[in-house]
Structure formats: C-alpha cells, structure tokens
Amino acid sequence: MDPVLLGEIFAATMFLGVIGFLLIGFPVAFTLAGTSIIFAYLGLYFGVFDMSNLRSVAGRYTGYMVNEVLVAVPLFIFMGVMLQRSNIAEQLLTTMGKLFGNMRGGLGISVILVGALLAASTGVVGATVVTMGMISLPAMLRAGYDPKLACGAICASGTLGQIIPPSTVLIFMGDMIAGMNSQVQMSLGNFAPKTVSVGDLFAGAIIPGLLLVGLYILFIVYKAIFDPTSCPATPVPAEEKKDLWKEIGTAFVPPLMLIFAVLGSILGGIATPTEAASVGAVGATILAAARWRLSMAVFVDVARRTAVVTSMIFVILFGASIFAIVFRQMGGDNLVREFLTSMPGGATGAMITVMLIMFVLGFILDTFEIIFIVLPITAPTLLLLGVDPIWLGVMIGVNLQTSFLTPPFGFSLFYLRGVAPNSVTTAMIYRGAIPFVLLQIVGLALLFIFPQLVLWLPSRLF
C-alpha cells in the first residue's frame, strides 16, 4: 500500500481511537499520549513514522512551561479561586435580588448579570456554577420558579467565564493561533505578518460575551411575559431596601475596580495579560483580606486548588503535544487540509464544517480537550483559506462554551447536580439547559453573519 495513504489511514484511525478511549472513561492526558505512542510504534513497523520526531516533545513542552503568556493561566485561576473564597458572589446575588425582585423574572435576570460580573472577574466556570447553585437555586425555588428555568439560567450564566475575558481558554487559543498564523503567513510569503495576541482575542470576545448576556436576559423577559408562572416576582420588604444603594456600592465597586484594573490595563495597552493577571491575583487577595476572609488556611487552600487545576490543564497539553506530532508526521494535517478545502463554499464551508465538528465533540469532550486536539489540526488550514485569526478564536470560544451545557457530559450540569436539592432531578437540569444551548447557537450564527461584532473593537483598540 502507498505509504502516504497508509499514514493518513493511521492518522484518522488514531483520532477516532482517542475519542473512543475517552468515551470509555480513560484519563484525557494519558489517552492522548498513550494512543499516540501506540500508533507511533505501528507507524514505525509499517514504515510511515520516524520515532526521532518524538525528540522534539521535551523541547516543545519546556517551551510551554517558560512561555510568558501562559504564565497568566495560573495567576488568573488563583484570582478566580480567591474571589470565590471572598464570598463576593453571595453579596452580589443578594443585592441584585433586592434590586430586581419586584419584577417578574427579576431573580433570573439577577443570576445572569451576576454570572457576567463573576465571569469578568474570575473566569472559573465550576466555582461560579457551584456558588450560584448553592445561593440562588434555593431562593429561586422558594419563589416559585420553574426548576428547569432556574437550573438553565444558573448553568448558562456560569459558562460565561469561558468567553468573557479574562478567560483561560482564550489565553491558550491566543497563544496557539498566534504561532499558527505566523507560520501560515510565512508559508504564503508574508514575512512581516500582523501579529495576533491574547489581548486581541480578549477585545474581540467582549461584544460576543455581552451579546450572549443580552440573549439570556431576553429569554427571561420572554418567559416573564408569556409564562409568568415560571418566574414570578419576589417582592422585597421596604425595610430591606432601606440602604439598597449603599449595598449596591459595597457589592459592585470592588469587583468592578478589579475588572477595570485587569481588563483595562490589557485593552489599554498598559500591561501584558501576564502582568495584568498578577495585578488581578494581588487585587483578589487584598479584596478577600478587606472582607475578613483571608487566613493562612484559606491562602493554602487557594494555592493548592490553583496548582491542581493548572497541573491538570498542562498535563492535557503534554498529551496533546505528542498527539499533534504523531498525527502530523503521519500525514494527518494533509488529510485534514484536503478534507476542508474540498468543502463546497471555500473558506465559509470549511469554517461551518469545523464549527459543526467542534459542536458535536462538545457533547462528549471538555473544552480544553477539544482545543488541544482539534485546533492544531484544523486552524492552519482555515487560516490558509483566509479566515481572520481573531474571528476564528472567538468563534471557537463561543462554540465550545456550549460544551459546558450539552448533555450528557456538560460539566456545568454536573457542577449544579452536585449542589442541587433532591427535588431537582437530573432530567430537569438537562431540559433547562436546552433553551440556553439554542440561544448560544443563535449567538454563534449572529457572529458568523456579522464578523464585525468580533473584529470592530480590536480594530479600534489596537
């Protein structure tokens, strides 16, 4: 058999094998690395893979660890976990509930707005969903909310941390797309390409993030008008609203100042994402101390949780590096390029195909798994076809946000299931998430039809 064809068959089989092992339940990082090494030896036996290619793994992984941009990841995770321990979410939800409680759907709107604020100040999806599930879900159920609507609103608002900066997903994608775009432009003869940075993706993601917030709120308003029993008003006694504006200032000013310090410094060109992340980590620690929530035990716990999450992400990245090397050397990138370029509609058809593949994979895989597996083998071809790198990164971010909501493996659904009362069934949580998944698809379609929703702000800022 033709060695090129045999290599492409091995590459495609390896990709399907990784998906199969993940469905069985094997750990992601070890599945990626182990499956790739098995196929590397098979390729060596059949003469379609040279094991010397694996020598670059150590250098590549060392490059990840000393990458200044990726240093921002543990800092942003530390900031998010520290803010969660400062109980800022509880105060925000209580204050917003008093502000909007007198209107139908007010609690639901409060949950969406608080989710957006927490996304912009923490970016940690799991912590946001768990915190809001513990605080707001009982209150919404006591107020007579439809359990499905309450669960869907909490899960969807919690996933906003995936797209609203500072997002660890955007940091990884920004670094990966920047390198791929430079290589593609050089292959096209452009030796002075326009650089793409994490700041570009942060700027491009702001309007799409606000668009999703607006769609969620419109859905709550729709339910309040046409199905008022699903989200009744929760009148707040006058004595509880006596010092409401003072409470609003106390609850909102500190996180807004932190958001301004972090995102403002990045978008204003004052600081790099890594420098801004360090400011955010210190600011979150000061905020926790000001609320008398900081102790040595809390600090140690936050540091431990930061190390666990960071290690998990980078171990997955290690396995994905091995997968990418074996897949490319066996001709997998050529196979993907031929597949995408053969799609009707050129770049548009290829983009739709990749978006569909990622959306389907979101039902069974985590966001980081999809990024580390699919992005390196599809993004170069899309960039070669002329797709804007900033638009591509934000579109993927919005698309993969649905992976947290889509049954059966949506992580936000699992997080909420862990803190929801027994009266709320898993089926209710799944059914409640479906309308918000559809809203995310609507948002993705709007970004596809109107790319300037993504590209306008980066072009103005940078």
Side-chain angles (χ1 to χ4, degrees), residues 60 173 175-188 324 327-328 332-338 340-341 347 350-351 354 358 370-389 392-393 396:
R60 178 179 293 198
M173 283 202 297
D175 184 69
M176 295 169 71
I177 290 176
M180 296 173 193
N181 186 59
S182 297
Q183 294 176 4
V184 168
Q185 294 302 318
M186 291 180 67
S187 70
L188 294 174
F327 186 86
R328 285 177 177 169
D333 53 348
N334 295 326
L335 180 65
V336 172
R337 186 179 299 112
E338 293 171 3
L340 292 179
T341 53
M351 185 71 175
V354 172
M358 287 187 168
I370 298 173
I371 288 174
F372 294 150
I373 296 173
V374 180
L375 188 62
I377 64 179
T378 59
T381 301
L382 293 174
L383 296 173
L384 195 64
L385 291 172
V387 174
D388 187 280
L392 173 63
I396 291 174

Side-chain angles (χ1 to χ4, degrees), residues 114-198:
V114 171
L117 281 171
L118 292 177
S121 51
T122 68
V124 181
V125 173
T128 302
V129 174
V130 169
T131 302
M132 293 202 299
M134 293 175 64
I135 300 169
S136 62
L137 182 57
M140 295 173 84
L141 295 178
R142 286 195 303 268
Y145 268 63
D146 183 342
K148 298 187 293 296
L149 179 62
C151 293
I154 292 170
C155 290
S157 60
T159 63
L160 290 170
Q162 281 292 102
I163 189 64
I164 294 180
S167 163
T168 53
V169 172
L170 293 180
I171 293 173
F172 276 105
M173 283 202 297
D175 184 69
M176 295 169 71
I177 290 176
M180 296 173 193
N181 186 59
S182 297
Q183 294 176 4
V184 168
Q185 294 302 318
M186 291 180 67
S187 70
L188 294 174
N190 181 10
F191 297 101
K194 179 183 177 182
T195 58
V196 178
S197 68
V198 174

